[in-house]
Amino acid sequence: GESVGLHLPTLSVQEGDNSIINCAYSNSASDYFIWYKQESGKGPQFIIDIRSNMDKRQGQRVTVLLNKTVKHLSLQIAATQPGDSAVYFCAENRGGSQGNLIFGKGTKLSVKP
Amino acid sequence: NAGVTQTPKFQVLKTGQSMTLQCAQDMNHEYMSWYRQDPGMGLRLIHYSVGAGITDQGEVPNGYNVSRSTTEDFPLRLLSAAPSQTSVYFCASSYLASGGYEQYFGPGTRLTVT
């Protein structure tokens, strides 16, 4: 079955609110996780990553949390803006070649003005 | 830098035809990959390469061939197109940054097989 998946396929938030996008993974050997943003008609764009030896990593307005106990990953977007509207994918690297990423199905984030 | 470029942007093929999707990067990345994206789904890895002369299969390699004769180029060949290969194809390249594997994606090739 799907190794990397998302709890919520769609998420609608009000502009200015915080957004939380969740992702579950099943392979305990995965050592690296990435969040991507994909706007309509474009390729995925790197947002933030985290290694398995970390629990939390922060970027500009984004935070990724990793809970290895329950194999759960989340992306938090602070003060969500209309430009954040996109599909968000989590991806895991199961070790070995760094090109070998397994993607989840994605969550569509809609930001209401 | 142009980043990752893909050609063509759109392509329509008839069943049984063959073609090559081109991918090039000018960032001197050693790692390159091909993914396909079907409606409502995430990306699935087709083939990848860890350097010139080295390729390996991903999740869904059947019906596709790749080669990596140079660092810059990583073409994807469809040997005999089938309707099941209708999809959007993305090429990506990556380097080691901050201990991670940040991947840069191209804009995609939208392929329809009739």
Side-chain angles (χ1 to χ4, degrees):
Chain A
E2 182 72 28
S3 171
V4 179
L6 297 174
H7 296 308
L8 298 174
T10 59
L11 178 64
S12 183
V13 300
Q14 201 70 35
E15 181 178 0
D17 288 350
N18 296 333
S19 302
I20 299 176
I21 301 171
N22 297 302
C23 178
Y25 66 96
S26 60
N27 193 324
S28 58
S30 295
D31 61 358
Y32 178 69
F33 304 87
I34 310 176
W35 279 101
Y36 285 94
K37 172 186 180 182
Q38 186 176 27
E39 296 174 282
S40 181
K42 297 183 179 180
Q45 179 184 6
F46 174 93
I47 301 174
I48 192 168
D49 58 358
I50 188 168
R51 297 196 66 85
S52 58
N53 61 354
M54 302 171 68
D55 297 323
K56 179 180 179 179
R57 191 165 188 214
Q58 288 184 295
Q60 187 176 15
R61 283 200 307 119
V62 295
T63 301
V64 56
L65 298 177
L66 176 62
N67 185 330
K68 293 180 286 294
T69 302
V70 296
K71 298 188 183 67
H72 184 266
L73 191 70
S74 68
L75 176 70
Q76 300 179 1
I77 305 173
T80 312
Q81 303 169 0
D84 294 326
S85 294
V87 177
Y88 290 80
F89 295 95
C90 63
E92 63 178 310
N93 183 290
R94 296 179 177 173
S97 168
Q98 69 181 56
N100 194 359
L101 292 178
I102 304 299
F103 283 77
K105 289 186 170 63
T107 291
K108 182 177 181 180
L109 175 65
S110 296
V111 182
K112 296 176 289 186
Chain B
N1 289 349
V4 180
T5 58
Q6 292 183 238
T7 57
K9 291 186 177 180
F10 300 94
Q11 183 70 49
V12 179
L13 291 178
K14 294 185 178 180
T15 297
Q17 288 184 317
S18 62
M19 77 159 295
T20 299
L21 279 62
Q22 302 292 343
C23 174
Q25 52 93 7
D26 60 358
M27 298 173 281
N28 202 32
H29 289 170
E30 288 196 356
Y31 300 88
M32 297 186 74
S33 307
W34 274 103
Y35 295 85
R36 62 177 287 173
Q37 185 176 34
D38 299 306
M41 297 187 67
L43 284 78
R44 290 184 292 168
L45 182 65
I46 304 172
H47 286 284
Y48 63 98
S49 169
V50 299
I54 305 170
T55 63
D56 207 346
Q57 296 181 349
E59 289 182 83
V60 288
N62 293 341
Y64 307 95
N65 275 359
V66 292
S67 60
R68 185 93 180 273
S69 57
T70 66
T71 298
E72 294 78 17
D73 300 299
F74 190 43
L76 177 72
R77 298 183 186 85
L78 278 69
L79 308 174
S80 178
S84 61
Q85 294 179 304
T86 294
S87 189
V88 181
Y89 291 85
F90 290 100
C91 178
S93 70
S94 62
Y95 68 107
L96 196 63
S98 303
Y101 309 129
E102 181 176 344
Q103 292 211 12
Y104 292 82
F105 282 82
T109 293
R110 285 150 182 80
L111 175 68
T112 301
V113 182
T114 61

